[in-house]
Amino acid sequence: MAIERTIEFRLLDRGAVDPTDLPGTHAGVYRQAAEIGVFSESVAADLADLWRDHRAKTYYRDGLATAERAERVRELAREIHGFVVGRSAQGFECRCDDSV
């Protein structure tokens, strides 16, 4: 879900979507981002496959959280945060705590 929200932010930032009319599916978010050049069609397909292949682990608790998984998610969040803050055309001012 965090990946989709980050990509939705990019779609909004580029004016490709209206905040009231975001893509309604995971795959739709990836497809629309590829259409405006955020990433390639093959990356969009890979992200859709990744979501499809692992959604049951989240929805049905097949992949319960571990300390290692939590740290990997935290690392991903830091990386995405840096990407968004570093590339926002809106002059985004980060108010995050540096310990995040």
Side-chain angles (χ1 to χ4, degrees), residues 3-43:
I3 294 171
E4 286 87 10
R5 295 298 173 253
T6 302
I7 296 169
E8 285 174 349
F9 173 83
R10 178 58 71 191
L11 294 170
L12 290 165
D13 184 55
R14 292 195 180 174
V17 296
D18 184 88
T20 61
D21 192 30
L22 293 169
T25 65
H26 296 273
V29 170
Y30 307 139
R31 195 171 33 256
Q32 194 157 359
E35 288 172 6
I36 68 162
V38 173
F39 41 68
S40 70
E41 293 287 337
S42 66
V43 169

Side-chain angles (χ1 to χ4, degrees), residues 1-3 12-13 18 21 26 30-31 36 41 43 45 51 54 57 64 72 76 80 83 86 90 92 96 100:
M1 199 72 139
I3 294 171
L12 290 165
D13 184 55
D18 184 88
D21 192 30
H26 296 273
Y30 307 139
R31 195 171 33 256
I36 68 162
E41 293 287 337
V43 169
W51 176 80
H54 296 283
K57 289 181 181 177
L64 296 176
R72 289 192 335 228
L76 175 62
I80 290 170
F83 178 84
Q90 301 300 316
F92 180 75
C96 293
V100 175

Side-chain angles (χ1 to χ4, degrees), residues 36-82:
I36 68 162
V38 173
F39 41 68
S40 70
E41 293 287 337
S42 66
V43 169
D46 287 347
L47 287 170
D49 289 344
L50 180 67
W51 176 80
R52 192 172 21 266
D53 292 346
H54 296 283
R55 69 187 174 102
K57 289 181 181 177
T58 301
Y59 293 162
Y60 305 115
R61 300 180 50 91
D62 291 345
L64 296 176
T66 65
E68 180 184 347
R69 287 183 184 150
E71 187 53 38
R72 289 192 335 228
V73 168
R74 186 177 211 129
E75 288 172 16
L76 175 62
R78 285 186 191 118
E79 189 174 326
I80 290 170
H81 178 268

